[in-house]
Amino acid sequence: MYYYVVVFLILIFCANGNAQISKSDSTARHRFFFYDGCIAFSNTRVIPNGLPGKTNGIAYTFEKQSLTKARTFIFNIQYNFGRLHNNFMSDKAAAYTLKEINMGGSWLWPVKTGNNRFFVKAGGGIFGHAEYFNPGKMTEALFISANPVGNWNQSVNGAINLAYKWDKLQIRNNLNVPIIVGGFFPEYQYFPSPINREPVSYITEPNVLAYFGNYRKVDYTFTLDFFAGKLRYSIGYQFMYNSFIINGNTQKFMQNMVGLGIGL
């Protein structure tokens, strides 16, 4: 129940911040991105030594810039699907799958640079992250501890955006780092044994408040944009690193993806 209240408040907060910028004094852009890349994942309770794999992603970004208040609102949602495979087991049924969704809104304000082509914006926002890790049918049958596991969290992030624009070409760098994180992470006493609580409350109620010391995440994107009339074509690179030590479990994963995007 707490989870739904948190999500509801976040949605109201984002909608209110966006509504404060009227259509008459703002510009809005939409963009879709398709990613492909590689991932390396390690979890002490499931894959202690880690496994490499491939990942795909699809992302949508909405960006609204106020022309009078010098403020930019950015909403982003991205879904990634990764597959980890043990080279010693050729059967695809032995593969692990990792499903991940990231979404959130941020507000950025400009920082003076003295250069009309170089732009810096800084601010922060509220973001949500959820992941579900599932072993293949063969792996689950062979290893008693190879159970599905997942976590979700809401975080307050710091964000910075660096851009250089020249005629119809724009280079942009964006960095997001969580500062305070709250959410649900499996507890040691329930892993890998069966859950002895009511399942819905077990996965929806927050049980952790973390900070940069035990939860570290870096989300960096680089995009090269080409403007052609009303359309914007993009080439992008995304790097994500996530590491935490929570409830007796250590997890790390790093993924690199490249992609193509199109927007208005």
Side-chain angles (χ1 to χ4, degrees):
M1 183 64 183
Y2 297 144
Y3 170 70
Y4 298 107
V5 172
V6 171
V7 172
F8 180 72
L9 292 176
I10 289 174
L11 291 176
I12 291 179
F13 182 52
C14 292
N16 180 62
N18 188 35
Q20 291 178 4
I21 306 178
S22 65
K23 293 182 179 180
S24 60
D25 68 349
S26 64
T27 59
R29 286 189 175 276
H30 307 265
R31 180 170 62 184
F32 289 92
F33 236 103
F34 302 91
Y35 288 102
D36 182 76
C38 59
I39 184 173
F41 182 93
S42 172
N43 184 299
T44 55
R45 302 298 177 189
V46 187
I47 311 179
N49 297 324
L51 282 178
K54 296 182 179 180
T55 185
N56 307 102
I58 181 172
Y60 165 74
T61 300
F62 170 76
E63 182 173 335
K64 198 166 189 178
Q65 182 175 355
S66 171
L67 302 178
T68 59
K69 298 182 180 180
R71 180 182 61 196
T72 301
F73 171 76
I74 301 177
F75 172 79
N76 182 77
I77 181 169
Q78 180 170 342
Y79 171 77
N80 297 327
F81 177 83
R83 183 179 290 273
L84 311 176
H85 196 270
N86 191 328
N87 292 330
F88 295 101
M89 303 179 70
S90 59
D91 196 313
K92 292 184 178 180
Y96 295 81
T97 58
L98 176 64
K99 300 176 182 179
E100 176 193 9
I101 186 167
N102 294 282
M103 65 181 295
S106 58
W107 289 263
L108 302 173
W109 286 264
V111 178
K112 293 183 179 180
T113 63
N115 188 321
N116 59 2
R117 293 186 183 276
F118 180 61
F119 305 92
V120 178
K121 296 180 181 180
I126 300 176
F127 288 79
H129 169 84
E131 65 184 53
Y132 177 70
F133 178 80
N134 190 34
K137 293 182 179 179
M138 181 180 293
T139 304
E140 194 169 1
L142 292 175
F143 303 100
I144 190 172
S145 63
N147 293 338
V149 65
N151 66 77
W152 63 263
N153 65 73
Q154 302 286 341
S155 62
V156 177
N157 286 25
I160 185 168
N161 187 302
L162 308 177
Y164 183 84
K165 190 173 183 180
W166 182 75
D167 196 17
K168 295 184 179 181
L169 176 67
Q170 178 177 256
I171 299 174
R172 177 183 265 186
N173 298 268
N174 188 68
L175 178 67
N176 270 285
V177 177
I179 301 172
I180 301 176
V181 179
F184 167 80
F185 293 80
E187 299 174 25
Y188 175 76
Q189 58 265 38
Y190 299 119
F191 196 102
S193 60
I195 299 171
N196 58 6
R197 294 171 54 188
E198 196 276 317
V200 175
S201 65
Y202 175 72
I203 63 174
T204 57
E205 295 180 2
N207 65 348
V208 167
L209 181 63
Y211 59 98
F212 194 77
N214 57 354
Y215 184 94
R216 294 175 292 276
K217 184 178 180 181
V218 175
D219 189 352
Y220 167 77
T221 58
F222 169 87
T223 56
L224 181 62
D225 299 326
F226 304 89
F227 294 88
K230 292 184 178 180
L231 293 178
R232 175 175 49 162
Y233 301 95
S234 305
I235 299 174
Y237 163 75
Q238 184 180 62
F239 169 80
M240 182 182 293
Y241 173 81
N242 185 211
S243 171
F244 66 76
I245 304 174
I246 295 176
N247 287 343
N249 188 25
T250 299
Q251 177 175 298
K252 294 181 180 180
F253 78 81
M254 179 175 65
Q255 60 185 14
N256 293 272
M257 295 192 292
V258 294
L260 299 174
I262 186 170
L264 296 173

